[in-house]
Amino acid sequence: MDIVQGPLPDGRPDTNHAPTLAGTTEQHALPGFEAVARLAANALGVPLVALLLSDGSAFWHNPPGYGDAPHMDGLLLAACREAARHGVAEVVADAREDARFLPAGIDPAQAEVAFFASEPVFGLDGQRLGALFVVDRRPRLALRAGELAALRDVAALAATGAALRCYLNRIDPSTRLPHRNAFFADLHAQLSRETDTAWLVAIETAPVARFNAFMRAMGHAYADALMHATAERVQGWMTPGMQLYQVASTRLAVLLPGSQEAPTPAQLDALVAMLRDPVDCLGIALTLQPGVGLLEIEAGELRGGDPLRRAMNASWIALGTARGWTAYDHRQDERQRQEFFLVTELAAALSERAELELHYQPRVELASGRCVALEALARWHHPTLGAVSPTTFVPLAEQAGLMRALTDWVFDHGLAQLAAWLRDGLDVRLSLNVSSIDLDAMLETRLAAAARRHGVPLARLELEFTESVAIHHDELTRHVLVALREAGVGIAIDDFGIGYSNLDALRRMPASSLKIDQSLVRSLDTRRHDAAIVRAMAALGHELGFRVVMEGVETASVLAAVRDMGCDEVQGHHITPPLPAIEVADWLRRHAITPAEASC
Ligand code: C2E
Ligand code: MG
Ligand code: MG
């Protein structure tokens, strides 16, 4: 038998409702309800079985063979709603005299409903979900014990169907909020015309790692209670017409009705402030770190687009901001998608593809004109994106946990190349860039292992750390650096002069060279101020016993200026840009130059 839909506006009696064999006020059926109704009809001999749930939905069925069923009209529906609200079992053996079932002015002999019984329906967790009803046109005697027991059993079966429907249709079983499917169904319904738009507020309760920490410490029930408490706060903020959804385990979304303007900055500030207030959850006070994202969705974007992803992107970005909310920004989203793509591609490039390469930039000693070291610089040639700069992929590797793999790759390939040059009789050292993530007790072991593998003396190597990494070191870092120095490895402080160095920390650094940042060196010849700073830095470096290297020497006049400052080594495009390995030997031969020629 087909389920005939009888859409009734929520809670309002519909006295014109046409008689139906079966029906529901809902768009979606209740799984197994027809079978439940047949069981009830069979056990009790009644022609109409109905179920009302506390979310307002109603289902009824008239199994054939049990006589003429009363119409499930507005009056009966209202009586069922009332009984469901009371939540107690009730048997009305003769309902013809009961005003709840008798329309005004109708002769009781003509009454549609003559027998009515209700049984509350409870979920597995003991919460009341609604009530089951059996109804007949004929009055009956009170139900026998066996019939009452059958009614209770059927109500329990109906509860299983209701729980399943919650899960399948709209409602999240733990927070009892409409979930993601319901969100998309409602969004499509709201944006039915091409020109329709709607505002969406997405809420990230807490950074995922923090939420997982709550769960590890307190259990899933606590996490559910926390989401419940958060949802209540959001509901307290919402104005009429807004609808709240639980769109993921830690995420909520509020859909504004089409006619409503975007929430004002002051309203969003108020939402963040409410969410940041400590929550008393099962007796434990907790402070959330919410992120709120705002997005305007256009109807056209529903085909193929993913508005929820974009809104969540905004709320995720908001997590890290002082204000706690942000509007969706297309460029920022694109950047993040690109970064995500790059990280997965970099992981593949490191493990299986031959897309990474090292280029080498000579460092020339001013006094002798000799190339005393080659700095290894990573290059990535992506098959579709082309060359990706290390200033892009090195920070990504750091964030994505790929830095050690990248450094190991650089150690391995750089040292293999150095070994080949040494075998060819080239007298060079190699300097390798290392990230803060590499700076731990394993660093020396990793480098020494690579050196052993390729038969390269550690004294041929230097590691470059940026100023901020090197200077803000703790005792462990210092220990690692001292051990490296004692093993003969040089230590350079890279990009010096742009951080906020503590001079005392600098004095105690077990470093061998100080590389002055190219942003200061580049304009030395034109900006007197920069020249004075660099001169002072070079003097300080010498005073502390470091070799002073100028990075980013781009012109002959800068080279002349640094020569005057008593710096030891220069590196920059004026000498040569970084070279592919295959060009290095040739370049070294051609530039086996005298000190006078070193001025190029
Ligand atoms: P860095 O270590 O300070 O390297 C010097 C950068 O300046 C290189 O950029 C080099 O190509 C560039 N350069 C050299 N001379 C000149 C010049 O005269 N003018 C200008 N404008 N630039 C010059 P690159 O190769 O793009 O590398 C950028 C940064 O990426 C490096 O700065 C380093 O911090 C990082 N990096 C590169 N390769 C690696 C690597 O294998 N591991 C790690 N951890 N970082 C790396
Ligand atoms: Mg460097
Ligand atoms: Mg540098």
Side-chain angles (χ1 to χ4, degrees):
M1 181 183 305
D2 287 343
I3 290 280
V4 180
Q5 286 184 20
L8 295 174
D10 245 15
R12 267 184 290 139
D14 175 9
T15 41
N16 297 323
H17 187 58
T20 54
L21 295 173
T24 168
T25 57
E26 290 302 289
Q27 195 182 352
H28 298 282
L30 185 89
F33 179 64
E34 278 190 51
V36 164
R38 273 197 302 275
L39 275 176
N42 197 24
L44 300 154
V46 289
L48 177 64
V49 181
L51 176 72
L52 259 73
L53 297 178
S54 47
D55 65 3
S57 52
F59 306 86
W60 62 94
H61 187 49
N62 167 212
Y66 298 95
D68 193 14
H71 296 154
M72 191 69 190
D73 61 10
L75 189 76
L76 180 53
L77 198 63
C80 289
R81 282 196 203 287
E82 189 56 30
R85 209 170 14 253
H86 285 134
V88 285
E90 184 184 13
V91 178
V92 186
D94 189 346
R96 289 172 300 185
E97 305 290 340
D98 191 322
R100 285 179 292 169
F101 306 103
L102 192 65
I106 299 285
D107 176 3
Q110 307 293 316
E112 281 263 324
V113 176
F115 171 75
F116 176 89
S118 74
E119 178 66 32
V121 172
F122 295 99
L124 293 177
D125 57 359
Q127 275 204 41
R128 204 168 72 229
L129 298 179
L132 184 84
F133 306 94
V134 286
V135 191
D136 201 348
R137 281 178 180 278
R138 292 166 300 156
R140 306 207 12 184
L141 297 174
L143 293 182
R144 293 189 305 274
E147 289 174 320
L148 282 171
L151 188 60
R152 274 198 294 276
D153 286 348
V154 172
L157 271 180
T160 313
L164 194 56
R165 171 181 162 273
C166 282
Y167 183 72
L168 295 175
N169 290 351
R170 291 186 61 87
I171 311 296
D172 182 279
S174 55
T175 54
R176 307 219 188 281
L177 288 171
H179 56 47
R180 198 166 52 228
N181 292 354
F183 166 76
F184 279 111
D186 292 357
L187 187 64
H188 277 86
Q190 187 164 325
L191 303 184
S192 54
R193 286 169 312 166
E194 203 54 31
T195 50
D196 288 340
T197 60
W199 286 96
L200 181 65
V201 177
I203 298 147
E204 190 99 39
T205 323
V208 174
R210 188 160 151 76
F211 204 91
N212 287 343
F214 295 157
M215 270 203 312
R216 274 198 307 279
M218 310 297 302
H220 283 79
Y222 186 80
D224 287 348
L226 191 58
M227 282 311 289
H228 209 82
T230 312
E232 266 176 14
R233 289 203 171 172
V234 178
Q235 275 159 336
W237 171 83
M238 284 159 48
T239 53
M242 292 185 183
Q243 174 67 52
L244 179 63
Y245 304 86
Q246 170 144 24
V247 289
S249 56
T250 60
R251 294 166 187 164
L252 301 170
V254 179
L255 184 61
L256 275 65
S259 53
Q260 229 173 70
E261 294 288 309
T264 62
Q267 282 172 313
L268 292 167
D269 285 343
L271 174 60
V272 171
M274 277 174 101
L275 293 170
R276 280 180 178 168
D277 237 16
V279 199
D280 186 342
C281 185
L282 303 182
I284 298 168
L286 204 98
T287 306
L288 296 175
Q289 291 170 296
V292 172
L294 179 67
L295 171 76
E296 185 175 25
I297 308 168
E298 292 173 7
E301 293 171 86
L302 291 183
R303 284 187 301 275
D306 186 351
L308 204 50
R309 185 199 66 73
R310 294 188 301 127
M312 285 337 296
N313 179 278
S315 58
W316 183 79
I317 287 167
L319 278 175
T321 65
R323 196 159 195 187
W325 68 267
T326 180
Y328 173 77
D329 176 346
H330 174 69
R331 279 163 313 179
Q332 206 163 22
D333 185 16
E334 267 313 300
R335 217 168 25 245
Q336 283 193 339
R337 277 157 74 93
Q338 180 85 340
E339 281 179 3
F340 177 79
F341 174 66
L342 278 180
V343 165
T344 45
E345 289 294 284
L346 181 61
L350 276 168
S351 59
E352 66 215 39
R353 306 198 300 227
E355 295 167 12
L356 288 170
E357 191 191 358
L358 287 175
H359 281 193
Y360 299 88
Q361 190 174 35
R363 260 164 58 180
V364 172
E365 185 179 57
L366 279 177
S368 65
R370 281 181 53 241
C371 168
V372 284
L374 292 158
E375 178 175 3
L377 293 159
R379 296 288 175 263
W380 181 16
H381 306 278
H382 187 272
T384 54
L385 299 169
V388 184
S389 162
T391 53
T392 302
F393 70 79
V394 169
L396 283 184
E398 285 177 337
Q399 287 162 29
L402 293 172
M403 199 58 227
R404 278 163 193 274
L406 178 61
T407 303
D408 285 340
W409 184 93
V410 171
F411 282 180
D412 206 46
H413 287 73
L415 270 57
Q417 184 58 64
L418 177 64
W421 284 327
L422 293 176
R423 277 196 303 275
D424 289 349
L426 297 179
D427 178 20
V428 281
R429 285 160 53 91
L430 188 67
S431 77
L432 301 148
N433 291 284
V434 187
S435 135
S436 59
I437 290 168
D438 297 303
L439 197 50
D440 63 14
M442 288 306 292
L443 181 59
E444 192 204 343
T445 315
R446 288 161 68 202
L447 186 65
R452 250 194 324 277
R453 237 181 356 263
H454 297 287
V456 171
L458 285 172
R460 290 273 175 184
L461 302 174
E462 184 172 55
L463 296 183
E464 298 192 7
F465 299 92
T466 58
E467 178 189 3
S468 52
V469 174
I471 301 295
H472 298 124
H473 64 274
D474 52 19
E475 266 316 298
L476 172 70
T477 312
R478 202 182 137 69
H479 189 75
V480 173
L481 295 180
V482 167
L484 281 163
R485 286 283 281 141
E486 282 171 357
V489 179
I491 302 289
I493 303 173
D494 204 355
D495 303 345
F496 185 77
I498 50 171
Y500 299 94
S501 285
N502 166 339
L503 290 185
D504 184 51
L506 182 65
R507 184 179 58 80
R508 293 187 298 115
M509 270 301 289
S512 39
S513 335
L514 199 63
K515 297 185 76 178
I516 297 184
D517 191 70
Q518 48 180 284
S519 62
L520 294 166
V521 175
R522 214 177 295 145
S523 47
L524 262 188
D525 51 339
T526 50
R527 289 164 56 176
R528 277 188 32 236
H529 192 62
D530 282 4
I533 293 173
V534 172
R535 188 184 298 278
M537 281 178 180
L540 177 72
H542 281 142
E543 198 62 38
L544 296 175
F546 305 135
R547 277 176 79 78
V548 174
V549 184
M550 300 287 175
E551 301 185 294
V553 174
E554 290 182 345
T555 62
S557 67
V558 169
L559 184 62
V562 298
R563 191 181 285 285
D564 267 2
M565 291 177 182
C567 102
D568 302 295
E569 296 172 26
V570 287
Q571 179 180 356
H573 289 171
H574 181 64
I575 320 296
T576 174
L579 302 165
I582 197 158
E583 293 175 21
V584 168
D586 193 40
W587 187 92
L588 289 175
R589 261 188 292 277
R590 281 190 289 113
H591 292 81
I593 43 182
T594 63
E597 288 167 322
S599 60
C600 310

